[in-house]
């Protein structure tokens, strides 16, 4: 008889990423992207994390709770291959898996003691806001950092967008918000350096880059970050941030 397992979330991540579009595809690509891990009441016991503050990084095992209704397939098209070439789902980090489980290694900057239990302050997150966490494990550099490992079809980190510029209005908005969101301009730059566009935009842009008409010319892209809509356009090989518009409460 097949054994059935039930998993109970122990915590939730509160992150700056409010929608799936734009989230870095791997942890620490936006090294300053902040997050908080807040325990569910049943697990908000300080004894459960005793000595955790001695580790600079932790593994989070979580659920892709916002995964679309799209069913898993044995073959997927990873963005690193331009979205055109298929590989096996188990040779990828696609969120469309038989079981919607993800894992990330994130920085642990501090442990806060609150009246409702401990709160973990994180950085380098690549996790959607309100994501349920199933487990936490410390990152062990001597064991987890395998320096001679090979990366298959993704041997190196993705090539960063060479230039991220900001309009005067966007610069002013960043300055206004940085009182509540430290290092905001740096966080935006790190997120956009990874070029959040779907892979087919990039590949098609490369194909027609020498023509007089560009696929992305003056096309406005946007994503929800923190409590605002970040909007930008692509110009040449760079990205130009237009504005940080407050998200309407209505």
């Amino acid at each position: 008889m097949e054994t059935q397992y039930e998993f109970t979330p122990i915590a939730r991540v509160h992150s700056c990423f409010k929608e799936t579009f734009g989230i870095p595809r791997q942890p620490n690509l936006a090294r300053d992207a902040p997050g908080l891990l807040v325990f569910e009441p049943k697990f908000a016991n300080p004894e459960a994390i005793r000595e955790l503050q001695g580790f600079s990084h932790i593994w989070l095992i979580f659920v892709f709770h916002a995964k679309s209704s799209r069913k898993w397939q044995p073959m997927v098209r990873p963005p690193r291959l331009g979205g055109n070439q298929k590989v096996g789902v188990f040779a990828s980090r696609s969120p469309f898996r038989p079981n919607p489980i993800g894992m990330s290694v994130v920085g642990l900057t501090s442990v806060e003691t609150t009246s409702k239990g401990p709160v973990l302050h994180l950085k380098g997150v690549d996790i959607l806001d309100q994501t349920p966490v199933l487990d936490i494990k410390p990152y062990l550099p001597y064991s987890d950092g395998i320096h001679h490992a090979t990366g298959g079809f993704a041997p190196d980190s993705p090539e960063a967008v060479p230039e991220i510029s900001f309009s005067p209005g966007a610069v002013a908005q960043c300055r206004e918000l940085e009182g509540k969101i430290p290092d905001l301009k740096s966080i935006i730059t790190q997120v956009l350096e990874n070029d959040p566009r779907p892979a087919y935009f990039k590949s098609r842009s490369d194909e027609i880059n020498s023509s007089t008409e560009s696929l992305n010319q003056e096309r406005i892209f946007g994503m929800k970050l923190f409590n605002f809509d970040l909007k930008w356009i692509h110009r040449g090989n760079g990205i130009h941030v237009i504005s940080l518009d407050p998200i309407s409460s209505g």
Side-chain angles (χ1 to χ4, degrees), residues 119-133:
V119 174
L120 307 186
H121 289 251
L122 313 173
K123 68 176 181 178
V125 300
D126 63 334
I127 300 173
L128 182 67
D129 188 45
Q130 300 298 321
T131 289
V133 175

Side-chain angles (χ1 to χ4, degrees), residues 1-5:
M1 180 181 295
E2 182 179 352
T3 303
Q4 298 293 320
Y5 296 95

Side-chain angles (χ1 to χ4, degrees), residues 4-10 43 61 63 99 101 132-135:
Q4 298 293 320
Y5 296 95
E6 292 185 3
F7 296 93
T8 301
I10 64 168
F43 302 99
I61 313 300
V63 177
N99 295 299
I101 298 173
V133 175
L134 300 179
D135 203 3

Side-chain angles (χ1 to χ4, degrees), residues 103-147:
M103 64 178 187
S104 287
V105 60
V106 298
L108 175 62
T109 60
S110 65
V111 177
E112 180 184 2
T113 300
T114 75
S115 60
K116 295 184 179 181
V119 174
L120 307 186
H121 289 251
L122 313 173
K123 68 176 181 178
V125 300
D126 63 334
I127 300 173
L128 182 67
D129 188 45
Q130 300 298 321
T131 289
V133 175
L134 300 179
D135 203 3
I136 302 167
K137 297 179 186 294
Y139 177 88
L140 300 177
Y142 74 88
S143 176
D144 295 338
I146 304 174
H147 301 295

Side-chain angles (χ1 to χ4, degrees), residues 3-247:
T3 303
Q4 298 293 320
Y5 296 95
E6 292 185 3
F7 296 93
T8 301
I10 64 168
R12 289 187 183 272
V13 170
H14 299 259
S15 84
C16 57
F17 301 111
K18 308 303 180 182
E19 59 184 358
T20 55
F21 176 70
I23 297 178
R25 295 188 175 96
Q26 306 297 341
N28 293 296
L29 289 182
R31 59 188 177 278
D32 292 324
L36 296 176
L37 185 144
V38 179
F39 286 91
E40 298 292 342
K42 181 179 178 181
F43 302 99
N45 187 332
E47 294 184 353
I49 61 164
R50 184 178 296 179
E51 303 300 331
L52 186 64
Q53 70 272 15
F55 296 90
S56 66
H57 292 76
I58 56 176
W59 288 102
L60 299 182
I61 313 300
F62 59 89
V63 177
F64 289 112
H65 71 296
K67 191 180 78 165
S68 72
S69 58
R70 171 181 158 190
K71 296 181 179 180
W72 84 277
Q73 299 288 335
M75 300 282 283
V76 297
R77 301 175 188 269
R80 286 298 297 273
L81 295 177
N84 297 316
Q85 183 176 337
K86 288 186 176 182
V87 303
V89 66
F90 300 127
S92 79
R93 298 200 182 191
S94 168
F96 302 103
R97 318 186 72 80
N99 295 299
I101 298 173
M103 64 178 187
S104 287
V105 60
V106 298
L108 175 62
T109 60
S110 65
V111 177
E112 180 184 2
T113 300
T114 75
S115 60
K116 295 184 179 181
V119 174
L120 307 186
H121 289 251
L122 313 173
K123 68 176 181 178
V125 300
D126 63 334
I127 300 173
L128 182 67
D129 188 45
Q130 300 298 321
T131 289
V133 175
L134 300 179
D135 203 3
I136 302 167
K137 297 179 186 294
Y139 177 88
L140 300 177
Y142 74 88
S143 176
D144 295 338
I146 304 174
H147 301 295
H148 59 275
T150 57
F153 61 81
D156 302 306
S157 59
E159 185 175 348
V161 173
E163 180 182 359
I164 310 295
S165 60
F166 289 73
S167 71
V171 170
Q173 289 173 309
C174 283
R175 288 174 179 166
E176 182 179 347
L177 291 168
E178 280 188 332
K180 295 182 178 179
I181 309 174
D183 302 317
L184 176 58
K185 193 165 182 275
S186 294
I187 293 169
I188 292 173
T189 297
Q190 292 167 17
V191 170
L192 294 182
E193 280 177 339
N194 296 293
D195 196 350
R197 292 176 301 169
Y200 66 85
F201 274 103
K202 304 174 193 178
S203 61
R204 288 180 62 190
S205 294
D206 291 341
E207 291 173 4
I208 65 175
N209 198 36
S210 59
S211 68
T212 57
E213 181 181 1
S214 172
L215 176 68
N216 296 311
Q217 185 175 7
E218 300 306 312
R219 178 190 177 96
I220 297 176
F221 292 84
M223 64 178 288
K224 291 181 172 61
L225 189 69
F226 293 100
N227 60 347
F228 55 82
D229 279 317
L230 176 65
K231 294 182 180 179
W232 71 91
I233 59 175
H234 286 254
R235 285 182 178 172
N237 293 324
I239 286 177
H240 184 66
V241 178
I242 302 172
S243 62
L244 291 65
D245 298 332
I247 297 175

